Amino acid sequence: MSPKEELVSVMSTASPVGVPATESIRSSVLELLAKLEPTNPTEAPATSPLRNGGWDVVYAGYAPGPLKSPTRPLALFLYAGGYTPGIASLNILRMFTDVGGLELTISRDQPRVEAATTVALVGSQQLKVFTDLEPET
């Protein structure tokens, strides 16, 4: 099985976005991404127009804390890189209601990113957030 196929297989067992991934899943994802990165045929992928389009987010893993805490999403949002306001918001919403999958749409012009999900508050409501996207590499 290729590293890409292995990654897809691991992703099928991952927790929903915003729910801490297990140590085993995080380790596998990091290992497989390290194998895949040098095989990417796209020159300068961080700035490539190929990333434009619609994306279903299936993994945004972070390490769980030693104790289950309702303030952990806030602490991670304030102090940890890679834990975004959107993921923090989804975690907080999941404490109170059902939250659907996360879909990102990346466009050419700023704000480049639209993140959308469905939330069951009173009926079903679509929640959208827009943000700029700038490459750091």
Side-chain angles (χ1 to χ4, degrees):
M1 188 182 303
S2 74
K4 182 178 179 180
E5 291 169 329
E6 285 184 67
L7 184 60
V8 169
S9 176
V10 168
M11 290 296 116
S12 70
T13 64
S15 302
V17 173
V19 176
T22 64
E23 179 62 35
S24 169
I25 296 281
R26 281 194 332 278
S27 302
S28 295
V29 167
L30 292 174
E31 179 182 322
L32 291 166
L33 287 175
K35 288 180 183 178
L36 276 172
E37 189 175 11
T39 68
N40 186 351
T42 306
E43 189 174 318
T47 58
S48 171
L50 294 175
R51 68 181 176 174
N52 295 347
W55 298 84
D56 291 325
V57 179
V58 296
Y59 177 80
Y62 62 92
L67 301 172
K68 188 172 177 96
S69 168
T71 61
R72 181 159 175 76
L74 179 59
L76 285 169
F77 167 64
L78 293 173
Y79 304 113
Y83 191 76
T84 65
I87 298 299
S89 299
L90 285 177
N91 258 353
I92 292 167
L93 281 173
R94 279 195 176 101
M95 289 185 220
F96 304 105
T97 188
D98 291 328
V99 178
L102 179 61
E103 182 179 308
L104 294 179
T105 303
I106 302 174
S107 64
R108 181 175 300 210
D109 300 316
Q110 299 288 10
R112 295 194 58 196
V113 178
E114 172 189 313
T117 190
T118 305
V119 180
L121 292 172
V122 178
S124 182
Q125 306 292 321
Q126 188 170 41
L127 176 66
K128 290 185 180 182
V129 178
F130 298 88
T131 188
D132 290 347
L133 177 65
E134 297 291 340
E136 292 187 7
T137 61

